[in-house]
Amino acid sequence: MSLIDLTLAQARAGLRAKTFSARDLTAAHLEAITALNPTLNAFITVTPEIALAEAEAADRALAAGTAGPLAGIPLAIKDLFCTEGVRTTAASLMLETFVPPYESTVTAKLRDAGAVFVGKTNLDEFAMGSSNLTSAYGAVTNPWRRAGDDTPLVPGGSSGGSAAAVAARLALGATGTDTGGSIRQPASFCGIVGMKPSYGRCSRYGIIAFASSLDQAGPMARTVEDCAILLGAMAGFDPKDSTSADIPVPDFQAACTRGVKGLRIGVPREYAAPGMPDEIAALWHLGRDILRAAGAEIIDISLPHTEYALPTYYIVAPAEASSNLARYDGVRFGRREDGADLIEMYERTRAKGFGDEVKRRILIGTYVLSAGYYDAYYLRAQKVRSLILGDFTTAFARCDAILTPTAPSAAFAQGEKMDDPIKMYLNDIYTVPASLAGLPAMSVPVGQSQEGLPLGLQMIGRPFDEETVFAVAAEIERAAGFSARPAIRAGVSA
Ligand code: GLN
């Protein structure tokens, strides 16, 4: 088996058994990046020298018996995490030359665990989007293709570069961030696993902010167990993030083997909205059958405010974004365009630095926060957000986890939904409610569309009960046995 086809857990075992070195493992992934990144555009920045130096340090630690839990594991980092000394762009021209003088807590933890960073992955600008088409550094191409059709497809977004890199075997795992679905939807589109932990589980310190009350970092990998291993290293209390939860980090990997016997799995009737494509409905049924056969009880639940989740999100998220993005003023960070006076300098900097989608969100956000509209939109949205959380609290009195589709479709073609922002926003219909409620949620590849593209199911858990989510996800993964490979890797033997 080629080194790039190993799971993270297998690679870790191989490194410990000295079957291969961290240097070999990293070199194999760097070679894959050189071969495929020109086609995929999954990375904005590749850092081969840093990666090889880190791999050699991992080899020394492995030899000395002082290796951390991720020693020598090549990872891709979403270019929204500040990395000390390595350019961090948020896929925006605004931060084209920004080299952070500090490291995000999540990446610092991964480094401390011994991980090797191969580069910074592409995303939608400032993580706003579902397709990676809004990146100022060009679109990411999904490594999958429709059967018999070479049309380039989107990898989903906003963590589309991370998802494409993991699916194409350019890294064993990656970090993503998820504000309304940005880990789960690209995981589904690229046939990999992705988890958005509970809000507060991973520190937001050093992650470029989009919507602070929703943003969460999380792992993306090719198996549920690999995600569990990664989250174990990423999570934990951080005094530098006031919303970080001061609670212990459980053994997520152990949770993957718990099974689902006796668990009650809720199926929300409101998610079965008219218009759900047959293949998505069939996939959802398959998930229920798998869990029932494994000893879980499937129960019908109601989340009555589901239909308001998307409009609520598209008020709250832009409101917070407009406030967070006010810091890009041409003075403190990144880009600066000169002007005759201060106001003109601000205007020119922001006009040049931000792309259309980011400007759209700033306009919407500023509008809903403005005097006169604040009560009608923002305050109302906050109230509805509480109702949505209340729906989940009521449901979790009767069930232990919730099963839904991850996205309403398989990956779509580049440009297919760009004409209409609302169509693009509809992608988030199943992912946004768990974000508004701060709940852990995960996508696992379960089947393929008629066109041969991967489709994922989503599991949602109680606050800080990632363990049950991992248990359910691992059961579905085992039974579904998803083993299809993306077109770009189809010819490579496993
Ligand atoms: N697609 C959603 C949006 O555009 C979610 C993005 C995200 O989770 N970062 O806002």
Side-chain angles (χ1 to χ4, degrees), residues 78 126-130 157-158 177-183 210 215 313-314 317 357 361 424-425 427-428 432 435:
K78 186 177 184 179
F126 283 103
M128 298 172 191
S130 308
S158 66
T177 64
D178 191 312
T179 303
S182 276
I183 288 176
F210 165 9
D215 297 344
Y313 173 84
Y314 277 100
E357 183 61 27
R361 307 262 179 138
M424 192 67 87
Y425 297 170
N427 257 287
D428 308 329
V432 147
S435 298

Side-chain angles (χ1 to χ4, degrees), residues 150-175:
D150 214 32
T151 312
L153 306 174
V154 304
S158 66
S159 311
S162 288
V166 171
R169 276 78 177 156
L170 309 186
L172 291 174
T175 61

